[in-house]
Each structure stands twice: as C-alpha cells, then as structure tokens.
Amino acid sequence: PSSSSKGPDYVYFDRSVAAFSEDAILKAKAAQLKLANYYKIAVDSAIERNTRRVELERKLAADTTSSDDRKARQLAQLGRKESAFLRLRRTKLGLDDFRTVKVIGKGAFGEVRLVQKADTGKIYAMKTLMKSEMLKKDQLAHVRAERDVLAESNSPWVVQLFYSFQDTSYLYLIMEFLPGGDLMTMLIRYDTFSEDVTRFYMAECVLAIEAVHKLGFIHRDIKPDNILIDKDGHIKLSDFGLSTGFHKQHDSNYYSRLLDTTNGVSPASNPGRNSVMVNAIHLTMTSKDEIATWKANRRKLAYSTVGTPDYIAPEIFLMQGYGNECDWWSLGAIMFECLVGYPPFCSNSTHETYKKILEWQNYLVIPDDVHLSHESEDMIRRLICGQDQRFNVDQIKNHSFFYGVDWETLRQIDAPFIPNLRSVTDTSNFPTDELESVPDQPAGADTSGANKDLAFLGYTFKRFTTSGSGF
Amino acid sequence: PPSPTPGSKALYLCSPFAEAALVKGNFKTIVMLPKYVDMTEWVAVNIFDFYTNLNLFYGVLTECCTSQSCPTMSAGPQLDYTWIDQNRRQIKLAAPTYIDYVMTWVQNLLDDDLVFPTKAGREFPPNFPSTTKHIYRQLLRVFAHIYHAHYHQLLHFRSEPHFNSLFAHFLAFGREYGLLEVKDVRGTATSPVGVGDLWEKWKDMGILEG
Ligand SMILES: Nc1ncnc2c1ncn2[C@@H]1O[C@H](COP(=O)(O)OP(=O)(O)OP(=O)(O)O)[C@@H](O)[C@H]1O
C-alpha cells in the first residue's frame, strides 16, 4: 500500500482483541450495537417529528375558518406534546408511582390491578408477573423481544401497553384498562349466548386474531379469559406477547410427562388402544355432573399456574410443528362454549381434557339437548378439525355462519352488551370479591422507590398521541 | 497500555481513524431544536443520552483504565485534570476515580427530580442552564481522557466509528446550545487538550456544522 494515495497521516494499526477479557469484548460489541440503534432511532424520530409538524402546519394552512390565534394554540399544543414525549424518555418508573384502586384479575404469573398514576391521576390496568415463576430464565429476554413488537402495534384489537418496568421480583406491565371485564366472566354470567350474539363476538375475534397474525404472532392461548371487553362492549385480546411460548401449560414436554403418568402409554403413539376407550369417556363428557363441576371450577382453573388446556389445539401438544392455524382451533372451542355452555373437551382433570383434544374426532359432539343451526355446527367443525383441513381466515370470513357481517365496520357498530359503567374506576364487571385476599401490593415487591427502572418505551409517538392517555 | 510516543501524532488524528464515522452526513438533523419544542426539554434528554452512551463505552474500558495505567486524569501530554474537593482544593485523582466521581455525580443529578424533573407538570429549576454547562464540561473531560489514553483500545475493538460519532455529536450539540466553551475544548497554550486538534480537524472537514 502506498502512503502517497492515502496521505501522509495514514497509519496501519494491527487490531487484536486477544489482550482483553471476554466480558470487555462482549461489552464492546453491545455498545456498538446500542449506539447504532440509538442513532437509527434518533434519525427516524427526527423525521417522524418533522412529518407530524409539517402535516399539522399544512392542515392549518388549508383551514380557512379557524382564527390565527387558534392555529397558534394548536401548534403550541403539538410542541407541548412533543416536549412531554421527550420527558418520558428520561422517566423512571417504580411501583410507588401507582396507587392500587382494586385487584381485578388473576393470572398464572401474578395479578391484574386497577391503578391510578400518582402524578397524573390517570387510570390503568397493571399486570404483575413474578419472575421466579417464569420458568426458564432466558424466557425473560424472549418476553421482552415479543413485547417490543407488541408495543409497536397500534391495533384496536390488541390491549395497549403503555409502559413496563421491573424490580427484583416482578415485571410490571401498565396497560389500558378495559372496564368491561372478560368473555369468561360474561359466559359465567350468561351461560350461553344466542347465535346472533355469538356471531358478533366470533366475528370480532376473527378480526382480532387476524390482526395478531398480521403482526407476525401466533397467540397459541386464546381463551375467554384473554378476550377483554372495552367500555363500548367491543373486544380486545390481552397481552398475548407474554402468553406465547413460556407458560408451563404450553410446554409440550410437560404435557407428554402428564400423559405418560396417566395410562402409561401415549394415545398419540397408540391410537388403536384409545379408540376402545371412546364410549366410556364420551359418556362422562355429556354427564351433567362433570359439566357442573367444570363450571364451578372455571375461575379457579384460570387462576392456576397449570391453566386450562381446554382451548389449545392438538398439534401444539404433539410437537409436530404448527402455524397460526392453531388459533382458529381455539376460536372453534370458544364458539362451541358460547353456544353450548362449556368447551367441547371439558373434563374433571387436565389429562382427560388433553386426551380428548388429541382424539377430538371421537369427542367433538354437540349434545342432543342443544339445538344449533346447520351453519353454526359446520363452522365449529371447520375450526375444530385436523390442521390441514382447518379453514383459513378468508374461508372463515366467507363461511355462511358469518353471512351478513360487515367486516369493515364491525368495530363501529353497537355491541350486544354495552357495559353500564358508573365511573372510570367502575369494577363491577370483575370478580373483585373473589380477589379480596390478594394484597394491594404484590408480595416482596420493591415499594421503596429507590431502585427505579427506566420505563420501557416500546410504543411509538403515535400510540402516545392517539391514545390520549399517555403519561 | 502504551501511550502514544511523544512527538508522533496521536492515533485519533491519523487516517483512517480520524475520519471513521458511524453517522455520516450533517448532524443538523439530530441537533437542531425541533420546531415548537421546549429547548430545555430537548437539552435535558440529549444530556441524558450523552451520559448513557458515554457510560456504555467507558464500561468497555474499565479493565484498561486502572489507577496503575492511569494514575492521573490525563487528556494530553501536558494536561492532567484536577478535581475540586468539598474544601475547594484542587486534587489530583487517578483517572478511574475521577471518572467514577463524574459519572456518579451526573447520575445523581439525572435521578434528582428537582434538577431533571420527570413528573408531569414539574418545571426545570432556574439554575438548570448552569448545571448543564457543568455536566457538559465534565463529560468532555471523560471523552478527552478516553481519546488521549484509550483510543488504541477502542481501535482493537473496532469501535472508533461509533465513538467518533458520539463525540462529534456531543461537540456539535454543545456548540449549538452554548454548553461547551471553546477554551475547554482547546485547553491552554501550555497544556492543550489532546482532542482540541481533533475538534479543529473535524471543523475543517465540515462534519460539525449544524
Ligand atoms: N387491561 C386489562 N383491563 C382490564 N382487565 C384486565 C386487563 N388485563 C387483564 N385483565 C383481567 O385480569 C384477568 C387475568 O389477566 P390475564 O388473562 O392477562 O392474566 P394471565 O392469566 O396471566 O394471562 P395469560 O395467562 O393469558 O398470559 C383477565 O381475565 C381480565 O379479567
């Protein structure tokens, strides 16, 4: 190499990381990635900020009816929003920034509370997840990655996540509060829905699941407890990013072990033998007693760490690989429950349910005393069926069960049940009396405010403005 | 670590290292105050980010920057920064101690809601501009020490495009908002700041405009 072409100051430097610790090498790599990411975001947000300003300026310029004063105020308002957003980037959050109004729900890894942010007075739902309960440690990183993408979604079908932070024991998610409760509570209250009401909820679920799939996710755990109801009676799916892939009950090894402990033999590996048992279990399933027990325990099941496999597609247990069609199976099971009053494979024990799901051909039975229209039954059978035969989203939308549904305007029409709310903190749609023993603050949480975590800002500015309820 | 041989040009001034950059083009896009945005809020979040990013790179160098390798807070062949203690005495500190003091002090300010408010509706204190100038001055010293004493280590890690861009952004931002005094970047005739020459070079190259 000639120094003339490179200039007099050109220097060769022999690079080698041999003298450094593994730790330093990793840190250096991480620092480079973080900085590259930082500048990428810095440039992107400068462009986005600029676009927002230009859009508003253009809109105001075209507006001939507003006074100049009013226009100036609108521009100042945009500046304040942008400034508040910059402030959010420096904001650290801790549990002591929120006041618990009431415990409103319980899930496998923690509780859900209705909370009020101390400085703004705004209302949110706060979900706590106990880290030690989240089985494998590397799942936390997985959760984080999924949550990042989730938080980017601005879909009306997905519960909005505003913030998350953590302390040594818990991960906290601050979400929008959906005052209408969930579909499980509705089903407990109403037992069954008419076909029209079912059509409404199923159609909304179709669009919600489609939205989730378009984001690149498979929910895998759609069940009535995860279908939340907003103040207008429309549905949203609760934070599926967290339910994906790490819950104990989804661990296929866990299921195989469960199965091995039942009759010693896996039905999947010995289908011949299981067909013999069909009648016995079939009888049990239609027995009123079993259904009554299942119903009585419905909520307890939701609270347990093992959870209910009632809505999970068979291919998930079988470790044969699956795609997003597994979510359509779950929808079929929920539809069955809406019309019949209990899910198709419910039993007194998890392993029974599990076995019935694997042999769905023998156990999917519409009870004689329930009358379903031909379309409803057919829809259910197109969803609860083998992976290859299952309908895809377009086929579902065009099925005669959904005849007359306007898919474009569904969310704008009046919902069949509109929650009757007395205030923004009305919790009458939640089983709060069952949760009275749950403490206001999660046990062992850091309430000192000493070790606050930088709030995770996974949402875009759009989310911040359109929601109108950013901090 | 081997310090640059006296007389020879510092590596960070040499090609191709002085020109290495992660961020190409003009810093204007990310330095300029966005229209209608509150300037104090803009300065606050940027200082927060400079601190975080500088900390990230200093974290890489902690095993190289020890009281043995760096008994003084050096930033040029004739320049050792001194720390002012509570009794207003100038004291010489080993670079890692000095930097630890700076970073802890800045972190505490950033965490203090009365200095860097985060609560909705809380205002910045009246002395905020002078606080930020103080912070900027000390962060500059950390940059200056890393360039002077640890640049070759950054080269081994292939981090010079990243670190250069961070520093160039820091300089451009500091000049734009009056946070940075020229005399602090250059130093005095008898004890110049090493990176003062880099600043001149970058200015000549036109990368600090904005
Ligand atoms: N954003 C919210 N607004 C109102 N209520 C909520 C909200 N999120 C959850 N809930 C209530 O809390 C209950 C439990 O929440 P969720 O199902 O998310 O917990 P989980 O069982 O741990 O979740 P999963 O197991 O599906 O990850 C819900 O059934 C619902 O009643």
Side-chain angles (χ1 to χ4, degrees):
Chain A
S2 68
S3 55
S4 57
S5 66
K6 309 242 156 133
D9 286 340
Y10 203 90
V11 168
Y12 281 94
F13 185 86
D14 225 348
R15 304 187 200 242
S16 158
V17 288
F20 299 95
S21 73
E22 192 66 31
D23 183 52
I25 296 167
L26 287 174
K27 276 188 186 162
K29 194 86 230 139
Q32 291 175 8
L33 288 173
K34 282 186 187 165
L35 201 75
N37 192 41
Y38 171 79
Y39 280 111
K40 192 187 164 297
I41 291 173
V43 173
D44 287 353
S45 30
I47 294 170
E48 284 166 22
R49 210 165 26 228
N50 206 46
T51 312
R52 285 190 293 270
R53 172 178 62 81
V54 171
E55 263 171 25
L56 181 62
E57 286 176 340
R58 194 177 295 147
K59 200 183 102 200
L60 293 178
D63 175 357
T64 50
T65 55
S66 301
S67 69
D68 286 353
D69 225 38
R70 199 189 141 80
K71 290 180 182 177
R73 274 201 306 275
Q74 272 187 268
L75 290 170
Q77 172 68 17
L78 173 71
R80 271 196 299 278
K81 273 192 166 167
E82 298 280 2
S83 304
F85 186 56
L86 293 175
R87 177 171 286 208
L88 289 183
R89 298 223 347 248
R90 296 185 292 111
T91 303
K92 289 182 178 168
L93 285 179
L95 199 53
D96 69 332
D97 290 306
F98 298 90
R99 191 179 65 81
T100 299
V101 179
K102 219 162 212 164
V103 180
I104 52 170
K106 206 166 168 217
F109 291 98
E111 301 92 28
V112 179
R113 291 173 173 81
L114 176 68
V115 297
Q116 182 168 37
K117 185 151 190 285
D119 62 341
T120 59
K122 294 210 165 114
I123 294 295
Y124 302 93
M126 177 176 84
K127 183 165 171 171
T128 47
L129 294 151
M130 202 193 287
K131 288 183 183 173
S132 59
E133 281 287 314
M134 299 202 231
L135 267 188
K136 301 159 202 148
K137 212 170 168 218
D138 59 314
Q139 294 297 357
L140 271 172
H142 175 71
V143 166
R144 207 165 181 121
E146 295 211 338
R147 183 190 55 183
D148 287 7
V149 182
L150 224 203
E152 286 291 321
S153 104
N154 224 0
S155 167
W157 299 107
V158 172
V159 175
Q160 287 203 8
L161 174 70
F162 288 108
Y163 266 114
S164 81
F165 53 91
Q166 54 182 314
D167 60 23
T168 44
S169 318
Y170 298 94
L171 199 65
Y172 300 87
L173 302 175
I174 305 291
M175 308 173 279
E176 69 178 308
F177 169 56
L178 298 196
D182 57 43
L183 200 65
M184 170 178 73
T185 308
M186 292 256 281
L187 282 165
I188 291 173
R189 186 180 302 166
Y190 294 101
D191 204 50
T192 55
F193 296 147
S194 68
E195 294 212 356
D196 282 339
V197 170
T198 303
R199 180 167 16 259
F200 170 81
Y201 287 116
M202 292 306 103
E204 292 220 331
C205 285
V206 168
L207 293 181
I209 294 169
E210 186 185 29
V212 167
H213 290 171
K214 280 189 177 152
L215 285 169
F217 286 96
I218 305 174
H219 194 304
R220 280 183 275 197
D221 193 21
I222 294 170
K223 51 189 178 191
D225 349 10
N226 285 333
I227 300 168
L228 304 184
I229 297 171
D230 74 8
K231 66 172 191 349
D232 302 314
H234 292 276
I235 70 127
K236 280 178 198 260
L237 293 178
S238 95
D239 56 323
F240 55 89
L242 287 151
S243 53
T244 309
F246 73 92
H247 277 187
K248 278 179 189 159
Q249 67 265 35
H250 304 165
D251 182 343
S252 36
N253 288 316
Y254 171 79
Y255 276 103
S256 347
R257 266 182 277 120
L258 238 185
L259 193 71
D260 289 343
T261 56
T262 38
N263 294 312
V265 185
S266 153
S269 62
N270 190 353
R273 170 172 172 193
N274 280 289
S275 57
V276 182
M277 297 167 65
V278 167
N279 288 338
I281 295 170
H282 181 246
L283 277 175
T284 330
M285 201 204 75
T286 48
S287 103
K288 295 271 186 272
D289 287 348
E290 189 175 31
I291 293 158
T293 318
W294 183 86
K295 288 194 148 197
N297 287 317
R298 182 65 182 86
R299 218 183 281 280
K300 277 197 210 111
L301 223 51
Y303 296 164
S304 78
T305 325
V306 177
T308 162
D310 274 294
Y311 312 92
I312 297 178
E315 63 264 24
I316 295 197
F317 306 129
L318 289 172
M319 294 180 278
Q320 296 164 336
Y322 54 86
N324 60 25
E325 67 281 353
C326 66
D327 289 337
W328 300 121
W329 168 288
S330 306
L331 185 69
I334 297 168
M335 178 170 168
F336 184 106
E337 181 173 351
C338 290
L339 295 169
V340 175
Y342 49 85
F345 309 108
C346 81
S347 339
N348 282 333
S349 75
T350 312
H351 1 283
E352 284 300 309
T353 304
Y354 173 49
K355 278 163 44 179
K356 287 183 185 175
I357 291 171
L358 289 176
E359 292 170 72
W360 57 269
Q361 289 97 329
N362 300 319
Y363 293 101
L364 177 62
V365 176
I366 313 275
D368 298 338
D369 54 345
V370 177
H371 175 75
L372 291 190
S373 69
H374 168 74
E375 295 82 53
S376 299
E377 178 165 351
D378 191 67
M379 183 76 267
I380 290 172
R381 292 190 183 278
R382 303 283 182 182
L383 296 171
I384 303 180
C385 60
Q387 239 172 318
D388 319 332
Q389 282 87 49
R390 216 168 293 155
F391 266 25
N392 65 28
V393 64
D394 293 322
Q395 292 171 308
I396 295 169
K397 284 181 175 174
N398 288 316
H399 189 276
S400 54
F401 173 71
F402 287 116
Y403 180 76
V405 170
D406 182 352
W407 298 99
E408 302 304 316
T409 60
L410 195 54
R411 227 192 143 81
Q412 279 81 54
I413 68 165
D414 282 346
F417 303 112
I418 298 170
N420 181 10
L421 301 166
R422 275 161 292 123
S423 69
V424 284
T425 57
D426 190 332
T427 54
S428 53
N429 293 304
F430 296 89
T432 50
D433 34 330
E434 288 171 40
L435 297 162
E436 254 164 7
S437 58
V438 179
D440 267 5
Q441 304 278 354
D446 183 352
T447 52
S448 69
N451 304 302
K452 292 198 186 182
D453 182 30
L454 201 56
F456 165 81
L457 282 171
Y459 59 90
T460 59
F461 184 82
K462 223 191 287 156
R463 166 173 300 263
F464 171 66
T465 45
T466 54
S467 68
S469 47
F471 287 89
Chain B
S3 354
T5 8
S8 77
K9 205 165 200 172
L11 279 171
Y12 55 80
L13 296 174
C14 296
S15 259
F17 316 124
E19 299 84 26
L22 169 73
V23 182
K24 303 264 159 83
N26 202 303
F27 276 102
K28 205 172 193 138
T29 1
I30 55 172
V31 165
M32 225 178 31
L33 178 67
K35 221 170 160 185
Y36 313 120
V37 166
D38 181 64
M39 194 204 283
T40 320
E41 210 65 76
W42 179 242
V43 168
V45 76
N46 275 280
I47 289 187
F48 179 91
D49 290 339
F50 286 128
Y51 167 81
T52 310
N53 289 326
L54 178 58
N55 212 8
L56 206 59
F57 281 92
Y58 188 68
V60 176
L61 298 169
T62 41
E63 70 184 35
C64 315
C65 187
T66 64
S67 46
Q68 285 78 43
S69 70
C70 303
T72 61
M73 181 66 178
S74 54
Q78 278 92 44
L79 175 60
D80 291 323
Y81 291 119
T82 52
W83 183 261
I84 313 281
D85 74 2
Q86 288 131 319
N87 306 318
R88 302 192 156 273
R89 272 196 318 250
Q90 300 209 345
I91 49 170
K92 286 212 171 195
L93 294 174
T97 315
Y98 189 105
I99 293 174
D100 184 38
Y101 282 8
V102 170
M103 296 317 235
T104 308
W105 172 70
V106 177
Q107 179 76 65
N108 287 338
L109 289 175
L110 290 169
D111 285 345
D112 186 344
D113 215 63
L114 295 173
V115 183
F116 278 84
T118 58
K119 294 252 185 308
R122 185 171 279 172
E123 309 258 340
F124 286 93
N127 65 347
F128 189 73
S130 78
T131 308
T132 51
K133 280 180 88 167
H134 267 110
I135 293 174
Y136 230 80
R137 192 156 173 256
Q138 292 296 339
L139 293 183
L140 173 69
R141 292 179 171 196
V142 178
F143 275 110
H145 174 72
I146 294 176
Y147 269 102
H148 174 69
H150 303 291
Y151 198 71
H152 59 287
Q153 283 142 350
L154 291 177
L155 291 180
H156 283 303
F157 287 123
R158 299 178 187 278
S159 289
E160 78 279 9
H162 307 77
F163 199 69
N164 279 354
S165 283
L166 178 59
F167 187 48
H169 181 204
F170 178 82
L171 292 173
F173 192 88
R175 289 304 289 154
E176 177 76 18
Y177 297 95
L179 299 163
L180 203 56
E181 300 288 342
V182 175
K183 69 171 172 32
D184 287 332
V185 186
R186 284 225 189 96
T188 62
T190 50
S191 49
V193 181
V195 287
D197 291 338
L198 186 60
W199 181 57
E200 297 290 353
K201 190 178 175 100
W202 282 349
K203 265 203 311 185
D204 291 346
M205 287 164 56
I207 70 163
L208 295 183
E209 275 156 32

